């Protein structure tokens, strides 16, 4: 079992109190307190010590040419892609450790610094929040994962309501209040639109050769095709030749959504795999909600906005 599974996020009462002081808070339109951590002006996943930890990466992290990063807005498929990439890079169908054990916001800098190559790491940080040396070095490869914003909003709503009861960052509110917070860019991970725009303009357009863009919807529609794309992106021709068809089919089987949900059920305090479908927003959004999302999250007159949204559907 993962060392991050089924245990308190705090090692001591003092650590809990430090985390409490690090949190910002607001009352949403339902009168429910919502707590978050700001780093460089943007909310980040509010893990204990996250602000100190991310700043340490800015000061000390040393990238390598063989690094692989999985980058996505929260609830967009990071766990799924991480499992596939792990199996391909290791040439083994053994299940990986929890992706949180290799997450920039979750573990101390020296942990990732001391991993053997190739390092498979992940983050939900905005492009502007990433340590400068990672961006300027142009080393390694980036797997960028996007998902329909409507499904992201619904998935995040359920995720934050089911956080551990003693977690200072649990957010159990109404759907309308959550959507209001989400559209204001104050939800966990900040503004979805700003996130997509930053990555699209700062990375997809500037560093296209070392970025693979996958969509959650595309992976569901052609799971094996996504695995093949990842193999071609991550591995040399010689490495790919060593992975026979039986291995690739096994990777496909083990990373089917239902298999992953059953395999991981009960192993963590928060159930990560909920329904693994596209379009589940239709059962949550009213017509008024959809109008509100379009009016507040997007500027329909802006070509940059349209191009940015289309980039997530590519």
């Amino acid at each position: 079992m993962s060392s991050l599974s089924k245990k308190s996020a705090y090692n001591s009462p003092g650590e809990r109190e430090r985390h409490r002081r690090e949190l910002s808070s607001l009352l949403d339109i339902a009168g429910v307190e919502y707590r978050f951590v700001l780093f460089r002006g943007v909310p980040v996943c509010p893990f204990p010590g996250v602000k100190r930890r991310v700043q340490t990466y800015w000061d000390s992290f040393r990238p390598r040419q063989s690094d692989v990063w999985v980058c996505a807005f929260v609830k967009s498929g990071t766990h799924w892609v991480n499992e596939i990439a792990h199996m391909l890079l290791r040439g083994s169908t053994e299940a990986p450790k929890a992706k949180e054990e290799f997450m920039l916001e979750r573990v101390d800098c020296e942990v990732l610094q001391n991993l053997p190559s190739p390092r498979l790491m992940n983050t939900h940080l905005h492009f502007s929040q990433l340590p400068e040396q990672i961006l300027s070095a142009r080393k390694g490869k980036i797997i960028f994962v996007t998902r329909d914003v409507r499904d992201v909003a619904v998935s995040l709503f359920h995720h934050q309501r089911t956080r551990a009861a003693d977690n200072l960052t649990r957010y159990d509110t109404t759907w309308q209040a959550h959507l209001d917070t989400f559209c204001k860019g104050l939800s966990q991970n900040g503004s979805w639109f700003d996130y997509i725009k930053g990555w699209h303009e700062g990375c997809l357009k500037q560093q296209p050769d070392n970025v693979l863009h996958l969509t959650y919807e595309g992976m569901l529609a052609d799971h094996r095709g996504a695995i093949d794309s990842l193999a071609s992106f991550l591995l040399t021709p010689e490495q790919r030749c060593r992975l026979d068809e039986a291995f690739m089919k096994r990777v496909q089987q083990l990373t089917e959504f239902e298999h992953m949900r059953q395999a991981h059920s009960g192993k963590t305090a928060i159930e990560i795999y909920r329904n693994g479908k596209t379009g589940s927003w239709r059962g949550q959004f009213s017509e008024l909600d959809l109008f509100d999302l379009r009016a507040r999250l997007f500027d329909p007159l802006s070509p940059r906005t349209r191009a940015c949204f289309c980039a997530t559907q590519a």
Side-chain angles (χ1 to χ4, degrees):
M1 183 178 292
S2 162
S3 62
L4 293 174
S5 301
K6 294 274 189 176
K7 71 174 186 178
S8 171
Y10 310 103
N11 295 322
S12 67
E15 185 175 355
R16 180 183 176 88
E17 183 55 34
R18 284 192 296 273
H19 186 217
R20 187 187 297 274
R21 291 196 300 268
E22 191 175 61
L23 293 169
S24 300
S25 67
L26 59 82
L27 288 181
D28 67 19
I29 59 173
V32 176
E33 185 179 18
Y34 174 65
R35 289 162 291 214
F36 53 96
V37 173
L38 285 175
F39 180 74
R40 295 182 177 263
V42 179
V44 296
C45 294
F47 302 120
V50 63
K51 186 180 293 188
R52 168 195 56 78
R53 189 174 296 117
V54 176
Q55 185 58 55
T56 301
Y57 281 93
W58 271 80
D59 298 335
S60 307
F61 188 75
R62 297 186 300 278
R64 302 175 195 165
Q65 196 65 48
S66 58
D67 286 345
V68 177
W69 288 95
V70 181
C71 303
F73 196 88
V74 292
K75 310 310 296 178
S76 296
T78 317
H79 284 84
W80 190 10
V81 173
N82 187 77
E83 292 219 8
I84 298 172
H86 171 89
M87 293 180 185
L88 294 174
L89 287 168
R90 307 301 178 227
S92 167
T93 55
E94 180 181 352
K97 294 180 179 179
K99 69 100 178 170
E100 286 82 6
E101 298 203 17
F102 308 98
M103 185 178 187
L104 189 149
E105 301 96 299
R106 189 68 183 264
V107 298
D108 289 340
C109 183
E110 59 267 22
V111 174
L112 297 188
Q113 201 73 273
N114 293 328
L115 289 175
S117 296
R119 298 184 294 192
L120 175 61
M121 301 167 287
N122 63 90
T123 182
H124 294 312
L125 290 180
H126 286 230
F127 186 79
S128 62
Q129 292 175 304
L130 281 178
E132 178 62 31
Q133 59 269 39
I134 294 178
L135 306 177
S136 60
R138 291 179 178 257
K139 290 183 177 180
K141 296 179 178 180
I142 295 171
I143 306 166
F144 181 56
V145 191
T146 57
R147 185 183 187 185
D148 189 307
V149 63
R150 296 163 295 189
D151 282 330
V152 170
V154 172
S155 185
L156 183 57
F157 171 61
H158 291 287
H159 177 75
Q160 293 187 137
R161 295 179 75 198
T162 56
R163 296 183 71 90
D166 68 342
N167 195 313
L168 289 173
T169 53
R170 186 172 188 234
Y171 182 38
D172 188 2
T173 191
T174 65
W175 162 249
Q176 284 74 25
H178 162 77
L179 186 61
D180 178 75
T181 303
F182 185 85
C183 289
K184 288 175 179 174
L186 294 173
S187 288
Q188 184 182 131
N189 216 184
S191 164
W192 178 91
F193 175 71
D194 287 348
Y195 180 92
I196 296 297
K197 182 174 71 172
W199 274 96
H200 182 245
E201 296 183 353
C203 189
L204 294 180
K205 289 170 63 175
Q206 302 296 327
Q207 306 179 42
D209 293 339
N210 70 329
V211 181
L212 175 66
H213 180 203
L214 297 175
T215 68
Y216 190 92
E217 295 75 21
M219 291 182 65
L220 280 176
D222 185 7
H223 184 200
R224 176 57 190 268
I227 294 171
D228 290 341
S229 294
L230 280 163
S232 296
F233 179 67
L234 295 173
L235 307 176
T236 66
E238 293 75 19
Q239 290 172 323
R240 292 200 301 273
C241 285
R242 291 197 289 268
L243 306 181
D244 59 20
E245 181 60 20
F247 174 85
M248 297 297 283
K249 286 183 176 179
R250 183 61 174 158
V251 171
Q252 182 177 355
Q253 177 188 6
L254 292 174
T255 57
E256 292 286 352
F257 184 86
E258 191 56 37
H259 183 280
M260 291 191 301
R261 177 161 61 180
Q262 293 180 15
H264 292 274
S265 179
K267 291 186 177 181
T268 57
I270 305 172
E271 296 298 331
I272 298 298
Y273 301 100
R274 192 174 64 87
N275 71 7
K277 298 178 181 178
T278 61
S280 61
W281 60 266
R282 292 185 177 89
Q284 187 74 56
F285 276 81
S286 67
E287 287 299 319
L288 183 59
D289 290 336
L290 287 171
F291 176 82
D292 196 34
L293 183 74
R294 286 192 293 264
R296 297 170 62 186
L297 198 60
F298 300 106
D299 173 7
L301 301 179
S302 167
R304 288 175 67 189
T305 297
R306 289 198 298 273
C308 186
F309 181 75
C310 289
T312 74
Q313 311 300 307

